[in-house]
Amino acid sequence: MKQQRIGKRTIRFRCPPSILAWSGIVGQKEGEGPLGSCFDRVGQDAMFGEKTWEAAESAMQKEAIETALKKGNIRKEDIDCIFAGDLLGQLIATSFGLADFSIPLFGVYGACSTMGESMGLAAMAVDGGYAQKAAAVTSSHFASAEKTFRFPLDYGNQRPLSATWTVTGSGAVIIGEYHPSGQRQVRITAMTAGRIVDYGIKDSMNMGACMAPAAADTLTAYLNDTGEDAESFDKIITGDLGYIGQKILIDLMRKKNIDISLQHTDCGIEIYDKETQDTHAGGSGCGCSAVTLTSWILPRMLSGEWRRVFFMPTGALLSPISFNEGQSVPGIAHGIVLEAGV
Amino acid sequence: MKQQRIGKRTIRFRCPPSILAWSGIVGQKEGEGPLGSCFDRVGQDAMFGEKTWEAAESAMQKEAIETALKKGNIRKEDIDCIFAGDLLGQLIATSFGLADFSIPLFGVYGACSTMGESMGLAAMAVDGGYAQKAAAVTSSHFASAEKTFRFPLDYGNQRPLSATWTVTGSGAVIIGEYHPSGQRQVRITAMTAGRIVDYGIKDSMNMGACMAPAAADTLTAYLNDTGEDAESFDKIITGDLGYIGQKILIDLMRKKNIDISLQHTDCGIEIYDKETQDTHAGGSGCGCSAVTLTSWILPRMLSGEWRRVFFMPTGALLSPISFNEGQSVPGIAHGIVLEAGV
């Protein structure tokens, strides 16, 4: 098999798979934000008809896939496998959300970078001929994440300004073989997988700072591997660095003489209104990049506004146990190249 | 790209990748078991030189990869990516164990089925040309798992006879392109990815019963997809069904008129001596199948004793939260076909 690698870390797909269909399901707060009108559904409350936050998150994942299938007019029987994950211990939002589909499942975990990881692996599966159609789905839920990583909501604790707000939402994409249709479509042309980058930061209330070095590492690897400039992208969009992480990423890239200040934005910045929504440093969670991709990035690429986007979900690799045992918060970022064309 | 699928769920690799090198690192109890002399290293205690159980598990993962690289005379720079996971929330054993390698990482989670998932994805990456060499590694640790899923060890609680004993161990394999060498080698020729199977069992102290239906589902899918008989395998080896799960699996298969009683064994049965080690229903954990593969199955295949093995790690998809919220314990099993030859 001919190697599909460029440089040390980048994969170029031989027949770049298409994103055939997608969906974004979010909670009430996300519905009140700047992208509110873009989502497929905004929940009336945080429970999505369930009794626990975890079950609510599962319900969102299920609805995200069902909605994507419906919008794409694709039968669930035609999905060969699902790559999916969430932030909860042992991926329970995923397990209980996707069980009913009876579709082979690859559980993946890259913290908030999981949508990049799952889309990259799904693209590999399709491009390599191991699946005709594969789904990638991730979710996060403000309340289940706060309970897991910080404090139960009922404590009413104060959040520092550097903290991000975990997005309640689930985004799904269906990835399949490319067929020319005469219609504009978005394809996944390349991937640079992330590696763990640990600057030794221990502040779990400043995850933007923890993840920005990993984003700089992955973006630099892609540019070095391909010889491309940052200007070759209409947009470079990270997952959930927020305002603080964005500043650090731009600074780190500038030290390498790469200016991404014009191209860069971040899903965690776009999803909330900083002034009116009290979300401090921005949005986060593996639902954040997933729903911003499906409800904001992909539509803009289809409309012709952007042709080429470097989509790079970012993850902070901590657990309550590692944090309480005094470990640092390493970061990881998986980069995906999206290109629109007919 | 020509489809590499047979039937609904099985992938046949076009140029089956080789398992180039492997290792198994275990704790003291595993060293005292029937496979004790087979492991690359048996730790003197449960801490592996670290201060916490979680850090000890990370140390085992790191040593497992380092040992496999050394045994295979492979440089870490030649590993394009690692597929890895463990049982702990947010995969911290993996994140902190593998950070120093600076190798692109795909975190995966399939509970105790994770070694099957990671090996299948690594084989896909190599066979598809997305990696020349990829590593797959998983770990579990008795104490970190008990703390996570059951009771802290200091409680000294009683374990029912249906409970399994989480293996302290980490196994790694390096998967790469096949090159004829005149030497006997083991290749990964096919994979049947698991789907979630939930019989509604809620007893987390009887995980064999929770996982056996998933193992039956995956094995049946493979046999249906390929038209092969169970007899086409010298051995069918599940991950950690233990004695109770084995009986259920054999019964479930018999109902489909498939008798696997002669071929079947289970890593959780092989790794401990039931009579003398007080391990009740057998071993479990994603280290269980990993170290039994690398220290017992692969050597027997290389020696010529077995030519063809269906290796099927099994996972129970629960978390302490899902369990305490009254959810069932669904199972999943990923099947990998191993074939020895020159």
Side-chain angles (χ1 to χ4, degrees), chain B residues 2-338:
Chain B
K2 190 174 162 290
Q3 279 290 308
Q4 294 305 118
R5 300 184 67 81
I6 315 167
K8 184 61 194 149
R9 283 174 55 187
T10 299
I11 289 163
R12 186 97 81 183
F13 295 112
R14 44 176 81 70
C15 178
S18 289
I19 303 182
L20 305 176
W22 53 83
S23 73
I25 309 294
V26 298
Q28 201 174 4
K29 190 178 186 84
E30 292 69 27
E32 293 164 356
L35 312 184
S37 62
C38 308
F39 300 114
D40 291 292
R41 190 163 86 87
V42 177
Q44 292 304 302
D45 58 31
M47 302 311 290
F48 287 82
E50 301 292 333
K51 288 182 182 160
T52 67
W53 294 322
E54 292 77 16
E57 193 175 333
S58 292
M60 285 194 295
Q61 276 208 21
K62 190 176 177 187
E63 186 175 342
I65 292 203
E66 282 170 348
T67 305
L69 290 173
K70 196 172 171 187
K71 285 169 69 182
N73 199 20
I74 296 164
R75 300 181 315 154
K76 77 167 186 168
E77 293 74 19
D78 294 331
I79 306 299
D80 292 319
C81 54
I82 304 178
F83 293 86
D86 59 83
L87 298 180
L88 304 181
Q90 293 79 40
L91 302 192
I92 51 169
T94 298
S95 299
F96 292 99
L98 305 183
D100 288 349
F101 290 108
S102 282
I103 296 171
L105 173 69
F106 294 98
V108 295
Y109 182 77
C112 306
S113 76
T114 304
M115 195 61 178
E117 181 181 349
S118 58
M119 286 175 68
L121 290 173
M124 250 189 238
V126 169
D127 186 53
Y130 310 114
Q132 279 191 296
K133 292 186 179 71
V137 59
T138 64
S139 65
S140 53
H141 188 294
F142 176 72
S144 65
E146 287 291 313
K147 172 176 152 184
T148 299
F149 293 102
R150 291 163 178 168
F151 298 99
L153 296 186
D154 296 347
Y155 283 18
N157 75 303
Q158 295 281 322
R159 298 157 44 79
L161 289 172
S162 60
T164 46
W165 188 281
T166 305
V167 165
T168 298
S170 175
V173 296
I174 313 290
I175 294 168
E177 292 166 332
Y178 166 71
H179 296 288
S181 64
Q183 304 283 313
R184 197 169 166 92
Q185 49 186 305
V186 177
R187 300 170 71 184
I188 301 174
T189 57
M191 175 188 201
T192 301
R195 56 185 185 181
I196 299 172
V197 178
D198 187 356
Y199 273 28
I201 299 164
K202 294 191 175 187
D203 185 357
S204 73
M205 292 290 188
N206 186 356
M207 297 210 288
C210 299
M211 300 185 289
D217 179 73
T218 297
L219 178 57
T220 306
Y222 175 81
L223 297 176
N224 285 345
D225 284 348
T226 60
E228 293 177 14
D229 297 326
E231 291 75 29
S232 70
F233 291 102
D234 298 302
K235 281 282 169 189
I236 294 168
I237 306 179
T238 45
D240 55 356
L241 295 184
Y243 295 94
I244 293 173
Q246 178 185 49
K247 188 169 180 318
I248 297 170
L249 172 62
I250 289 172
D251 285 352
L252 287 171
M253 295 306 292
R254 199 167 272 149
K255 283 192 181 162
K256 302 177 188 196
N257 293 315
I258 300 169
D259 181 4
I260 61 165
S261 59
L262 289 178
Q263 285 88 5
H264 184 261
T265 191
D266 180 79
C267 299
I269 290 176
E270 300 294 340
I271 197 165
Y272 295 125
D273 184 325
K274 191 185 182 183
E275 305 306 324
T276 63
Q277 292 196 284
D278 194 31
T279 43
H280 299 190
S284 62
C286 45
C288 177
S289 57
V291 301
T292 307
L293 171 75
T294 55
S295 302
W296 186 66
I297 300 173
L298 293 177
R300 289 194 172 211
M301 295 187 75
L302 274 197
S303 75
E305 186 173 345
W306 302 328
R307 196 189 70 77
R308 203 153 181 273
V309 169
F310 195 76
F311 174 62
M312 180 165 49
T314 39
L317 300 169
L318 82 162
S319 86
I321 290 177
S322 71
F323 179 74
N324 287 325
E325 288 180 350
Q327 297 269 26
S328 58
V329 184
I332 192 165
H334 296 287
I336 302 278
V337 178
L338 301 174

Side-chain angles (χ1 to χ4, degrees), chain A residues 50-285:
Chain A
E50 301 292 333
K51 287 181 183 161
T52 66
W53 294 323
E54 293 76 16
E57 194 176 333
S58 293
M60 285 193 295
Q61 276 207 21
K62 189 175 177 188
E63 186 175 342
I65 292 201
E66 282 170 348
T67 304
L69 290 172
K70 196 171 170 189
K71 285 169 70 182
N73 200 19
I74 298 164
R75 299 180 316 154
K76 75 166 186 166
E77 292 74 20
D78 295 330
I79 306 298
D80 292 318
C81 54
I82 304 178
F83 293 86
D86 59 80
L87 299 180
L88 304 181
Q90 292 78 40
L91 302 191
I92 52 169
T94 298
S95 299
F96 292 98
L98 305 183
D100 288 349
F101 290 108
S102 282
I103 297 172
L105 173 68
F106 294 99
V108 295
Y109 182 78
C112 306
S113 76
T114 304
M115 195 62 179
E117 180 181 351
S118 57
M119 287 175 68
L121 290 172
M124 251 190 236
V126 170
D127 186 52
Y130 310 114
Q132 280 191 295
K133 291 186 180 70
V137 59
T138 65
S139 65
S140 53
H141 189 293
F142 176 71
S144 65
E146 288 291 311
K147 172 176 153 185
T148 299
F149 293 102
R150 292 164 176 167
F151 298 98
L153 295 186
D154 295 347
Y155 283 17
N157 76 303
Q158 296 281 323
R159 299 157 44 80
L161 289 172
S162 61
T164 46
W165 188 280
T166 304
V167 165
T168 297
S170 175
V173 296
I174 313 290
I175 294 168
E177 293 166 334
Y178 165 70
H179 295 289
S181 64
Q183 303 283 315
R184 197 170 167 91
Q185 50 186 305
V186 177
R187 300 170 72 185
I188 301 174
T189 57
M191 176 188 200
T192 301
R195 56 185 185 182
I196 299 172
V197 177
D198 187 357
Y199 273 28
I201 299 164
K202 294 191 174 186
D203 184 357
S204 74
M205 291 290 189
N206 186 355
M207 297 211 288
C210 300
M211 299 184 289
D217 179 73
T218 298
L219 179 57
T220 305
Y222 175 82
L223 297 175
N224 285 345
D225 284 348
T226 59
E228 292 177 14
D229 297 325
E231 291 74 30
S232 70
F233 292 102
D234 297 303
K235 280 282 168 189
I236 293 168
I237 306 178
T238 45
D240 55 357
L241 295 184
Y243 295 95
I244 293 173
Q246 178 185 48
K247 188 170 180 317
I248 297 170
L249 172 62
I250 290 173
D251 285 351
L252 287 171
M253 295 305 292
R254 200 166 272 151
K255 283 189 183 164
K256 302 176 188 195
N257 292 316
I258 300 169
D259 181 3
I260 61 165
S261 58
L262 289 178
Q263 284 88 7
H264 183 263
T265 191
D266 180 78
C267 299
I269 289 176
E270 300 294 340
I271 197 166
Y272 295 126
D273 184 326
K274 190 185 183 183
E275 305 306 324
T276 63
Q277 291 196 286
D278 195 31
T279 43
H280 299 188
S284 62

Side-chain angles (χ1 to χ4, degrees), chain A residues 6-21:
Chain A
I6 316 167
K8 183 62 194 146
R9 285 173 54 188
T10 300
I11 288 163
R12 185 97 80 183
F13 296 111
R14 46 176 81 69
C15 178
S18 289
I19 303 182
L20 305 176

